[in-house]
Amino acid sequence: MTQQGVRWTADQVLALAPDATSRKAGSKLGAAGPWSETGSSDEGTVWGLCKGSGSKPYQTIIDIADASGPAYKCSCPSRKFPCKHALGLLLLWSGDDGAVPPGQAPDWAEQWIAGRRQRAAEKRPTGPAGSPAAAADPEAARRRAERRAERITAGATELEQRLSDLLRGGLAAAEQAGYGLWEETAARMVDAQAPGLAARVRELGAIPASGPGWPVRLLEECALLHLLDQGWLRRDRLPQTLAATVRSRIGLPASADGPPVRDRWLVLAQYDTADTRLTTRRIWLYGADSDRTALLLSYGAAGRAPELALPVGLALEAEVSAYPGAGQARAALGEQFAPPAPAAIRPRGMTTAQAAARYGEALRADPWLDSVPVTLEQVIPTPDGDSWQLADADEDAALPLTPVARSRSGLWRLVALSGGAPVTVFGECGHQGFTPLTAWPQGVGAAVSLC
């Protein structure tokens, strides 16, 4: 149950925005002017009418207590979730100045909430006998898995031959052939039902045009791709956890089969990446009692934000189950026992040297790992020529920021938050450097999203 006194900050609301345009438009609607008949309930719902360009106001309602993050409903034609009206209403509610008073939901809001509650009840598992896994034909599933494994093996064998041809002919041939060669190879991996291989092949195609030093980077990525190929072809000889990692990197689906861990999970960061086919949302969680970090992944069709959204800086009491694989941080969000609420939780920090060592250790379990989640303590953002780095306040060591981090506006929020003083920063540490995602000032202060 959501208590009326527990309100989110404006930064936590705006962290839910699907893009910068929605963030700006939602901020303009965070005032009482366009709103009427607003209200909120102890059950975690917020509603209101927002005046638009038409004769009828838009009906906006938000279920804050939803187990998978806030859920939204608005009568506007926007396909973004949340839309600017939902963001504006949440900003109005977060102000806690009486603009969204407690009350009884109107009929249109009550009907939507009742429908959501009923659908959630119908989705609850009824026991092993009623589960989809029990209803499936295990023999048919085994045959499908064998057929797919045969296709992947054929694709991996073909890819090995193409990598050998590339190395025999010289890396200069990759620059002359252009992107078409790699796209054709990626399509063959899609036909082989190995999406993980296809994605890595497509990345190879962009390297020759990535600037000076591209032959070294291409050779490195070809070596990792060769290693993944060989891991699949010799998977029967691998330790169980490493074999699970190989299957995951190849692109085989897996279920979160780890034991549920109930904890107070702090929402550390949330950000989206997109390509022409898919939008991927990454949400990092930190367990206050278990001292572990977990990654939730959510997907949306191209141009649409994924449904799962959790406000950065809030904590939720819930169960989380890990996916199989050595060194894997991915997990699935299970039963939630309370909606997200403010909490004075911060992850345990480390130095930049310890962060680099952690990434090195993680590579032993997963050689294809791009980065690991770490929290740096007592670091100062410092210019480094044309670049930036996070320097330890008490040691002569630093981590460079990744090119992605340097191109984001969050870098300037981090610099402003620091003001030359040490801060605590959560982010991803990998072979390209460190990408800051969230920061906390010295002493007591709310988390600031840098995404």
Side-chain angles (χ1 to χ4, degrees), residues 254-351:
S255 300
D257 58 2
V261 177
R262 181 169 177 172
D263 206 336
R264 292 175 301 146
W265 295 96
L266 173 66
V267 184
L268 286 173
Q270 173 180 292
Y271 67 96
D272 295 350
T273 56
D275 55 29
T276 57
R277 293 172 290 276
L278 198 67
T279 299
T280 302
R281 173 164 294 165
R282 291 170 171 82
I283 301 177
W284 285 106
L285 303 178
Y286 170 75
D289 300 325
S290 60
D291 192 30
R292 59 178 288 186
T293 307
L295 174 64
L296 306 181
L297 295 181
S298 181
Y299 302 96
R304 301 199 64 175
E307 289 188 6
L308 180 62
L310 297 173
V312 175
L314 298 187
L316 61 154
E317 185 175 356
E319 291 181 340
V320 164
S321 299
Y323 278 80
Q328 297 293 296
R330 188 185 175 190
L333 182 62
E335 183 177 358
Q336 183 175 333
F337 304 97
I345 302 173
R346 288 192 185 185
R348 185 171 54 178
M350 63 181 64
T351 66

Side-chain angles (χ1 to χ4, degrees), residues 2 10 100 116 142 184 378 437:
T2 300
V100 184
R116 285 189 59 79
R142 185 188 63 79
E184 177 192 352
Q378 292 288 101
L437 301 175

Side-chain angles (χ1 to χ4, degrees), residues 161-210:
Q161 184 61 51
R162 296 203 176 197
L163 290 174
S164 297
D165 293 342
L166 172 65
L167 294 178
R168 276 198 297 267
L171 295 182
E175 186 176 30
Q176 298 169 1
Y179 192 78
L181 169 66
W182 301 109
E183 186 57 38
E184 177 192 352
T185 305
R188 296 287 297 147
M189 296 306 103
V190 172
D191 292 342
Q193 294 184 292
L197 292 179
R200 286 187 169 271
V201 168
R202 288 194 177 96
E203 291 175 1
L204 294 182
I207 293 178
S210 63

